[in-house]
Amino acid sequence: MRLLRRRLGPLAGTLAAVLLASACAGAGSTPTGGADKADSAPGVTDDKVVIGTHQPLTGPAAPGYSTISAGARAMYSYINDKGGIHGRKIDYRVEDDGYNPTRTVEVVKKLVLQDEVFAIVGGLGTPTHSKVVDFLNSERVPDLLVASGALRWDDVAKSPTTFGFQVDYTREGKILGSHIRNNLGGQKVGVLHQNDDVGRDGMKGLDQFIADAVVSRQPYDPANTDVLPQITALKNAGAQVVVCECVPAFTALAILTSARLGYKPQFVVSSIGADPRTLAGLLADFAKRGGTEVSAGALLGGLIGAGYLPDAAADDPWITLFKEVHQKYIPTVPLTNTVVYGMAQAYTFAQALKEAGHDVTRQKIIDTMTSGALKGPGLTPFAFGPDSHSGYTGAYIFKVNPDTSTTMIAAPVVTDRENGPIKPAPTTRKTPTEIALVR
Amino acid sequence: MDKLLTLTLGGLTSGAVYAALGLSLVIIFRATRVVNFAQPALALISAYVAFSVNKATGGYWLGFAAALLTGALLGALTERLIMRRLADRGHLAPVIVTLGLLMVLQAVAGMIWSAEPRSFPYAFDFRGTFSPAAGFAVAVVLVVAAGVLVLFKATPLGLRMRAAAFRPDVAGLLGVRVGLMLTIGWTLAAAVGALAGLLAVPPFIYPTALDSVFVHALAAAVIGGLDNPVGTIAGGFALGVGLSFVSGYVGPELVTMAALAILVAVLVVRPHGLFGHAVARRV
Amino acid sequence: MAADTVIAPAPPAPVTSRAGLSPLARHLLLAVLALAAIVLLSMVVDPFTNVRLATVGYYLLAVAGLTVLTGLTGQVSLGHGAFMFVGAYTVALLVVYVPALPFWVDLLLAAVASGLAGALTGAAAARLTGPYLAGATLALAVGLPSVTQRFPDFLGGSNGLGFTVNSMPAGLAGTVPSTRWQAWVVWAVVLAALVLLANLTRGRVGRRLRAVRDDEVSAALAGIHVGRMKVFAFLVSAVCAGLAGGLQAFLLGTAAPGSFTPALSLSLLAAMVLGGVGSLWGALWGALALVFLQAGSEELTHALALGTDVSNNLPLAIYGLVLIGVVLAFPQGIHGIGRTLRTRLRPRRTPARTSADDEGEA
């Protein structure tokens, strides 16, 4: 060993010198910015606009999310078959990142550097997308309609090209908390939350209204599907209302596990986990062997949830359009609110692309996003403006009926992510006919 | 007390699943000294077949039977078509090949049944602190384990399988069809694995549903001793209850860490598991 | 053989170069040549290919570490992703919390931290064999990343840490694209580590390790401290994986638990076997396969225009099939394809060569 070390000393020095000479500055110090490339339009040709996204198509997070891009693709196909936007077809490239941040960085670099996409649209997930925001902004790539309710997409100074889409978890938490205080006041509240910012940001909002009513907070880990310990704790704490800041599979697990324990709290579920059709699908098969008390309708009836897009079964001009697209392009995929989400996202991007004009550049689409011109399919307005890159600003509250259809029980309201008041949402919504995106 | 009871019974139910999948690993390990990393995928495909049969016919038990048959068939095919070619190829090649098979079968499951989770029923009513469904899971695992033990210890077939596993050359000279014994071992193991899958997937089935179950099953088998069915069954139940306690009393994010800690603690004291036997040094 | 111990993307180093040169000098020369080749290559390819080039580099180092462990001591680890996790988080934490430290110090500390983790693992695993070691190391790969959930404020929880590593000297900023620079840094570190590794495994330590692999009892009788050698092998191997993780963090600016799944550990192992166990050349083929097989199958899938469910899963299926096919058809992995084919074509004439080749392994 001693011999070895002596012989290798100079060698190690030589090769390390490459590094030493190279990097004397602190590794964490801020690098200087690159050239401004915003006023160009890579990926845009006379007949095509290339855009990209990263989605979990395989792996542990694929269940629940893999149909978003199917919905978006269907919408783009519909738009392309109607002649595209300004005569350009939208070339939608979906890369599978398996919800692995390392893969996300790789595939987004591929999309930007090799495929030279015009924009990244609807990149999915907080742990994943947060790792490419700096890269996309330093390359001045429009990073539009991020599919996550985290707060960090709204940072105009640091991430000028990044824009959110769905209502953020804190706004939604405030709206749910206020609804509980006004309608279920005096009851003990338990919280079941995902152990990441879905839960943490959501509780920030909830606690503005019901902090003193909360008797138990139970985190779950998305990798561990056994929620028996958490539900047992909520039951033992005597929670009469259980707020679920969960993804759909865990809403369903919480409901089933409660049924297993003979525990019947009032569930109040945030929008990401409250899609009644997804839940009904997950809970479809238990009545046959467990009796009618555990049919999907019986398990879901009475559940309170939040939403910001029209429900897939609602009588709504947007749903009429989405059903038409669904019927034509992806009839075999069930039309859930997840599919609606993908379609609404795609439509919103196409709308921005159209508003940006025929001679679109990256800067122009960012200007369009901030102009406030976008009136999408949602029931509340976007916050987009010079000072905010937040997506939808509020939500409505619905209740699930025993036949798993839904009834809106509180009209759409809007609020901010701080301590601001909750106000009724403006009622001006545009229909697809009024927007007239395509012929 | 209520919490302790719920956590214990809940842990026993998950432990039954670890024990069953662990048992399927042990059967193959005894026969071929191979840890079958494709086992969760064989069980997954079997459970998906049950899912499709359930959907088509509306009955649970027909799907149950179809899954066991599928498992057995997949096990036999894996041995005949792939593993047989790996005899005398050391311990690494089978690991990699079964991993490859795991990827292929999970991909096939995703292609046929999509990545979306589907509702998968329990055998019986799942409600109650110790529900009929949980009772069924624990009972069926204990019965199967007893059956496997009797087969190995007290039947001529079991004797031949053990002979083929431990001294293939001698067994062959004595007229035991060694190849056939290996196929039977894989068939039996994969059928037990399919059973574990049927017990493990409810309430939802999706392509990666059995991944963490497999890690725990392997941990159970390692804790109990990979060549010892009784040890593995005990290891499975102990691990299930232990992890349920950790999740309930400390925090759900610590479950995988706890599994690691338990494994290391056991192996530091007993390098071949609690009930395993050291293999004599090869000369 | 020289060609077996040092990596160069150019044609295999000519055997004649051994004349008059010590192994160390030869390895060093080859490493410098390889680095020059990488620099040249990085200038002619597009920015994203530079990212891929760097990716091959850090995977190569991780697989090389693994192949040293398995090739030299016969121990199989299903948990090397955990050491990459340690390396990546060390770099990430230092970049985020001690931004004044230069990058090479971060990397050295990543090597130290992962070495420590490796020594601990090695000590716990020294008595374990075969599947018991496999089970314990797999549990490590599954269990360790969940520590981030326990300390969400410090380690970032499931979101992990995101950052940008600034390593570019002021003089180069603006003239060298960052992806090209990153490829240079990654490969400089990787080649330096490989030279050390190659010398280590060819010297006295390597002989002792092989003695332990072949027969522990005889090795002990010959005065070799078997347990200590095994721990040492684990340490070296973990340092390689930790450096690889640190380089990954440097390249991609991320350290998150979702990146260090058991699937990562298993794919490192698969890459090692695919390339050919015990040889550093094999590690290169394995790393190339890991990066380009996936990229190729994804491109193929995009080109085929299949149904969503089929195309989503096709790359995974292709990777699995290649894995099975190569292991079944070529016992020595990609590195041994030529040898295997020669043996098949002329079954009786070649056995004399194998002993010479074995000598050069790892």
Side-chain angles (χ1 to χ4, degrees), chain A residues 98-389:
Chain A
Y99 218 64
N100 171 346
T102 304
R103 290 283 299 145
T104 309
V105 180
E106 284 169 5
V107 299
V108 168
K109 286 196 168 173
K110 173 175 178 286
L111 287 167
V112 171
L113 299 174
Q114 187 171 319
D115 296 0
E116 299 194 325
V117 295
F118 174 65
I120 298 291
V121 180
L124 192 146
T126 310
T128 47
H129 195 76
S130 59
K131 307 304 183 299
V132 292
V133 167
D134 284 352
F135 168 70
L136 291 173
N137 277 276
S138 71
E139 297 283 323
R140 306 286 297 163
V141 180
D143 175 23
L144 311 178
L145 310 175
V146 179
S148 145
L151 302 173
R152 61 180 78 191
W153 320 129
D154 176 26
D155 189 345
V156 181
K158 200 162 156 272
S159 314
T161 73
T162 299
F163 291 81
F165 177 63
Q166 69 201 55
V167 61
D168 64 58
Y169 303 130
T170 301
R171 276 189 168 94
E172 194 180 15
K174 281 171 73 178
I175 292 165
L176 287 175
S178 140
H179 182 85
I180 292 168
R181 193 172 69 180
N182 295 339
N183 299 281
L184 302 163
Q187 302 201 35
K188 290 181 184 170
V189 178
V191 183
L192 178 70
H193 65 90
Q194 192 158 301
N195 60 355
D196 58 12
D197 48 3
V198 171
R200 277 196 297 274
D201 293 354
M203 281 193 290
K204 256 184 250 163
L206 278 177
D207 284 351
Q208 291 189 20
F209 295 88
I210 51 167
D212 45 356
V214 173
V215 291
S216 174
R217 295 170 198 268
Q218 294 295 320
Y220 75 83
D221 190 306
N224 182 351
T225 53
D226 180 14
V227 294
L228 182 67
Q230 290 93 325
I231 302 296
T232 308
L234 291 170
K235 184 187 179 196
N236 290 350
Q240 297 153 292
V241 175
V242 169
V243 182
C244 204
E245 305 269 5
C246 316
V247 296
F250 279 84
T251 309
L253 282 170
I255 292 171
L256 278 174
T257 309
S258 302
R260 175 173 166 189
L261 296 175
Y263 173 45
K264 289 196 177 66
Q266 167 69 55
F267 278 100
V268 178
V269 186
S270 61
S271 61
I272 51 166
D275 175 12
R277 258 151 308 280
T278 302
L279 292 174
L282 288 172
L283 299 173
D285 274 356
F286 302 102
K288 216 170 285 161
R289 311 199 63 78
T292 49
E293 302 99 318
V294 288
S295 68
L299 287 170
L300 285 175
L303 179 137
I304 291 172
Y308 47 92
L309 293 170
D311 187 84
D315 179 19
D316 185 284
W318 287 95
I319 294 301
T320 313
L321 169 69
F322 294 159
K323 277 186 176 155
E324 181 194 335
V325 174
H326 172 259
Q327 206 52 44
K328 188 160 174 206
Y329 295 98
I330 44 170
T332 55
V333 180
L335 181 61
T336 59
N337 284 357
T338 316
V339 173
V340 166
Y341 179 103
M343 290 186 176
Q345 205 174 38
Y347 193 97
T348 308
F349 169 72
Q351 204 189 337
L353 194 62
K354 187 174 184 190
E355 291 282 329
H358 185 271
D359 302 317
V360 65
T361 63
R362 282 177 168 174
Q363 188 57 47
K364 277 186 187 163
I365 200 150
I366 287 169
D367 294 342
T368 308
M369 293 295 293
T370 47
S371 70
L374 295 183
K375 302 261 185 291
L379 281 93
T380 69
F382 287 117
F384 299 146
D387 306 321
S388 172
H389 286 187

Side-chain angles (χ1 to χ4, degrees), chain A residues 78-87 324 354 436-439:
Chain A
Y78 169 82
I79 291 167
N80 290 344
D81 287 352
K82 296 257 180 186
I85 304 292
H86 296 304
E324 181 194 335
K354 187 174 184 190
L437 183 69
V438 287
R439 267 161 284 124

Side-chain angles (χ1 to χ4, degrees), chain A residues 11 22 27-28 102-103 114 131, chain C residues 28 48 101 159 166 259 298:
Chain A
L11 145 85
S22 70
T102 304
R103 290 283 299 145
Q114 187 171 319
K131 307 304 183 299
Chain C
L28 204 53
F48 183 65
L101 279 185
N159 284 341
N166 172 33
S259 303
E298 275 172 7

Side-chain angles (χ1 to χ4, degrees), chain B residues 78-165:
Chain B
T78 307
E79 199 278 326
R80 283 274 153 154
L81 298 181
I82 303 177
M83 300 316 291
R84 185 156 291 194
R85 295 157 190 257
L86 290 172
D88 307 321
R89 280 282 302 279
H91 53 280
L92 202 49
V95 171
I96 302 300
V97 167
T98 50
L99 274 178
L101 191 60
L102 172 79
M103 292 178 191
V104 173
L105 291 178
Q106 276 193 349
V108 167
M111 288 178 190
I112 300 178
W113 290 283
S114 99
E116 290 305 306
R118 310 292 187 89
S119 182
F120 193 102
Y122 293 89
F124 296 97
D125 192 353
F126 63 94
R127 286 169 301 163
T129 319
F130 196 65
S131 64
F136 172 72
V138 173
V140 81
V141 168
L142 290 177
V143 168
V144 167
V148 167
L149 216 59
V150 169
L151 175 78
F152 276 139
K153 302 266 176 188
T155 66
L157 177 64
L159 185 66
R160 282 201 287 272
M161 287 173 73
R162 281 160 67 200

Side-chain angles (χ1 to χ4, degrees), chain B residues 42-70:
Chain B
L42 300 177
L44 179 80
I45 298 281
S46 310
Y48 263 122
V49 167
F51 168 83
S52 290
V53 172
N54 285 347
K55 276 272 173 288
T57 65
Y60 179 84
W61 297 107
L62 204 59
F64 193 91
L68 296 188
L69 276 177
T70 309

